[in-house]
Amino acid sequence: MNTAPLKVAVLGCGVVGTEVVRRLHTSVPDLAGRIGAPVELAGVAVRDTRRPRGLDLDPGLWTDDPLALVKRGDIDIVVELLGGTEPARSLAVAAMEQGASVVSANKALLAEHGPLLHESAARHGVDLLYEAAVAGAVPLLRALRDSLGGDRITRITGVVNGTTNYILDRMTETGGGFAAALREAVDHGYAEADPTADVEGLDAAAKAVVLAALAFGVRVPPAAVHREGITGVTAADVADARALGRVVRPVTVLERTAGRDGVLLRVHPAMVARAHPLAEVRGADNAVLVEAADAGPLLFRGAGAGGVPTAGAVLGDLVAAARRRVLGHRGAAPGTLVEQTAAVPGARSRHHLRVPVADTAAALADVAAALRDGGVRVGGAHRRRAAGPQALVLLTEDTDDAALGSALAAVAALPCVSGAPRAMRLLDAEEER
């Protein structure tokens, strides 16, 4: 058993990186007890070594040359917290080539280059761990990879982006619009100054790709994930959801296709039934419902963002990789990935439709006929008069996305329709499906 000090390099010192470095510096005896060997912080790579970061470190530990740090040859574990795909990819590969295991919280890196990184880890006999890349402190990936490794996962439904959940939750609480809720999210530190990756669903789509690889063993490029952001969600949508006994949540869904060897991945806002577990996810929390053939439904829930919770997940991976080194075990097998160049089409969902009209009574028959002619079955309808124009609110049966798009185009062309129809998916509780 190797009990020599394990040397750790940290790349990036933002919110999460600062907390990781702090814990590595102040919790040495605790970590050593869990690992079975001492841990030594060997260096921290940042863009500006002169910037104050509130960390009482030896000045010699700071460097603005991350490549030189990972190529020193004596580093056991590299913690990559840079974000983005470059130089993160090149540095992770360089670290593996030097025999270092890599721990990352970088969902964009794993979504774009997961197979390459897993291949490099296997080739060089090192570990690649990234629990914090999907749901912060929620121990989801390890459960998919290990605890459920012998089961067949059929569907994953989750709220995996804390920023968008916070925004939609605030819209529900206040009755206000998207812009006001986004400003509040920025003010409270839940959203970046440029929130595009979050509010347009890019962050959630990258996480869906990582989940698909672990849960289903498939590689889906991020661009192939069906993605709808939350920027178009209005106060009227939230009010309609409330009237139906639902709440609007930013939902990520992965499911196996019936009778085909493929998967469907989609990211979008949805009106979630109050009885569904995701309806209770508040603020910036994350929750993921995993449905497996043997284990049945399993709910994972907890803090999905923030420096302290995410750092805890990073350190959990670091401890796992370090333990394996102490015991002489190197390079956990990542599992087989089946190449899939595009998501399988054919998603079907129930939808909530909001059709602005001048006269709801006069318009109902024409709108229903246009939907029926387009192959869309309506399961319920009611009129809604809000502060603005009148609208018909319709609930569809399970409908193919392509058919719905064509039918809504026909509805929009009707003389009785006074604006663009809006559609939002419905997410029902298990007993309603």
Side-chain angles (χ1 to χ4, degrees), residues 357-431:
V357 295
D359 185 333
T360 54
L364 178 57
D366 289 344
V367 171
L371 291 171
R372 184 173 60 251
D373 292 345
V376 177
R377 296 175 57 190
V378 176
H382 66 269
R383 305 167 190 173
R384 175 170 173 81
R385 184 189 296 273
Q390 294 188 66
L392 283 172
V393 171
L394 310 172
L395 304 181
T396 76
E397 301 295 338
D398 268 359
T399 303
D400 178 85
D401 285 353
L404 180 66
S406 298
L408 289 182
V411 168
L414 293 173
C416 61
V417 174
S418 57
R422 283 189 51 74
M424 187 177 293
R425 287 177 174 80
L426 302 177
L427 183 62
D428 297 320
E430 177 65 28
E431 60 268 22

Side-chain angles (χ1 to χ4, degrees), residues 137 165 211 281 289:
N165 197 60
L211 287 172
V281 185
L289 179 65

